[in-house]
Amino acid sequence: MALMAPTQQVKRRATNQGAAVKEALAAEDTFRSAQDVYATLRASGEKIGLSTVYRHLQIFVDDGLADVIHKPDGESTYRLCGDASTTHHHHLVCRQCGKAVEIEGPAVETWADKVAAQHGFSDVNHTVEIFGLCTACAA
Amino acid sequence: MALMAPTQQVKRRATNQGAAVKEALAAEDTFRSAQDVYATLRASGEKIGLSTVYRHLQIFVDDGLADVIHKPDGESTYRLCGDASTTHHHHLVCRQCGKAVEIEGPAVETWADKVAAQHGFSDVNHTVEIFGLCTACAA
DNA sequence: GTCTTATCGGGAATCATTTTCATTATTGCA
DNA sequence: TGCAATAATGAAAATGATTCCCGATAAGAC
């Protein structure tokens, strides 16, 4: 249940598949679903299985290399977000194309902690995502 | 895609099942899953189908009577939150038992709108949820 | 009471994600 | 460099929440 655990890279083998998934994510600054990444890789001739895509995406999250956003329809989307040392941040996401901008809101962080403390909640954690239509999709 | 659409109650028949679902939700101030509500109702002898539970929960959301929170594991949880005229608010949720406290953060609202505007995003929307362990569950 | 039709509900169908497990490929080490 | 130990892979099956289908049921109108 430990939260906020910093980087603690577990021994990990270097494989083509792992690199391919990372590349696919790195190629776009949008949040993408596992199914989407899988389809893209297969379309580009990559030899990889769906399970493997899921596995690597989860690994990136565990290692703090990627962020996840759970869309309202239940699908999980991933995006590389610097290494684990990167500051805590949130996202402004286009609900149409998934393009995301990293944003910070120091005030929000402190506010969240304060509110939680006032109600006696511990081991606090929060999610803040702003959705909208990017200029491109607004057309 | 119209957001923030205020109450526009469609003609709706009064049924035992609908009342039962609402009662089940009203009995607790926690976010509960459809499966959970269904199990509770059946356990208490209520004659109702799973589809019906889903249907009513969705209706409550559409009518602005309930709020939804999509848990990281993909499950959707519901909670009655006043009528549609109730002010926009967020939640401080216990990730263990689901107990929730309604909270407000006017500053967050304006911040979100400003950030979105700065990046040219329109039709903005946001989700802010604070998770933690309530005093009861911290034990 | 009777008719019209919204609502039910059980089961099949979806769909994303996870698990299983036999096969394959990396890495550490002799 | 060669090889054993074992992490990684992937195809198929399993899971689990949610939705769809459609004949049966019941609420509201007259």
Side-chain angles (χ1 to χ4, degrees):
Chain A
M1 280 281 126
L3 300 177
M4 304 276 95
T7 329
Q8 44 189 340
Q9 286 283 0
V10 182
K11 182 175 65 174
R12 209 143 258 166
R13 289 187 180 175
T15 67
N16 292 337
Q17 291 86 342
V21 174
K22 184 177 290 189
E23 255 178 53
L25 274 191
E28 309 268 350
D29 62 344
T30 64
F31 275 87
R32 308 179 60 198
S33 70
Q35 303 281 352
D36 182 23
V37 170
Y38 172 68
T40 301
L41 289 174
R42 291 304 287 245
S44 71
E46 199 71 38
K47 184 179 180 315
I48 193 173
L50 183 55
S51 329
T52 304
V53 172
Y54 273 102
R55 240 173 332 235
H56 283 287
L57 289 175
Q58 191 49 57
I59 286 174
F60 294 157
V61 172
D62 291 345
D63 288 355
L65 295 176
D67 284 349
V68 208
I69 282 186
H70 304 282
K71 294 199 312 189
D73 67 10
E75 205 176 31
S76 295
T77 55
Y78 307 78
R79 179 181 190 273
L80 288 187
C81 285
D83 58 81
S85 63
T86 303
T87 359
H88 171 68
H89 63 269
H90 300 292
H91 298 94
L92 169 58
V93 189
C94 175
R95 87 176 117 253
Q96 181 95 67
C97 68
K99 185 189 311 189
V101 180
E102 296 187 13
I103 56 182
E104 287 185 34
V108 178
E109 317 297 327
T110 55
W111 166 77
D113 288 343
K114 195 181 64 182
V115 171
Q118 287 176 342
H119 292 274
F121 277 57
S122 55
D123 198 3
V124 181
N125 186 281
H126 65 260
T127 67
V128 175
E129 310 298 347
I130 305 179
F131 295 97
L133 289 178
C134 68
T135 48
C137 289
Chain B
M1 280 283 123
L3 300 178
M4 306 276 92
T7 328
Q8 45 190 338
Q9 286 283 3
V10 182
K11 182 175 66 175
R12 209 142 262 166
R13 288 186 182 174
T15 66
N16 291 339
Q17 291 87 341
V21 174
K22 183 177 288 189
E23 254 178 54
L25 275 191
E28 309 268 350
D29 62 344
T30 66
F31 274 87
R32 308 179 60 197
S33 70
Q35 303 282 351
D36 181 22
V37 170
Y38 173 67
T40 301
L41 288 174
R42 292 302 287 245
S44 71
E46 199 69 40
K47 185 178 179 318
I48 192 171
L50 182 55
S51 325
T52 304
V53 172
Y54 273 102
R55 237 172 335 234
H56 282 287
L57 289 175
Q58 191 50 55
I59 286 174
F60 294 157
V61 172
D62 292 345
D63 288 355
L65 295 176
D67 283 348
V68 208
I69 282 186
H70 304 283
K71 294 199 312 192
D73 69 8
E75 206 176 29
S76 295
T77 54
Y78 307 78
R79 178 181 190 273
L80 288 186
C81 285
D83 57 81
S85 63
T86 303
T87 0
H88 171 69
H89 62 269
H90 299 293
H91 299 94
L92 169 57
V93 190
C94 175
R95 86 176 118 254
Q96 182 95 67
C97 68
K99 185 191 308 186
V101 180
E102 297 188 13
I103 57 181
E104 286 186 33
V108 178
E109 317 297 327
T110 55
W111 165 77
D113 289 343
K114 195 181 64 182
V115 171
Q118 287 176 340
H119 291 277
F121 278 57
S122 55
D123 198 3
V124 182
N125 188 280
H126 65 260
T127 66
V128 174
E129 310 299 347
I130 305 179
F131 295 97
L133 289 179
C134 69
T135 48
C137 290

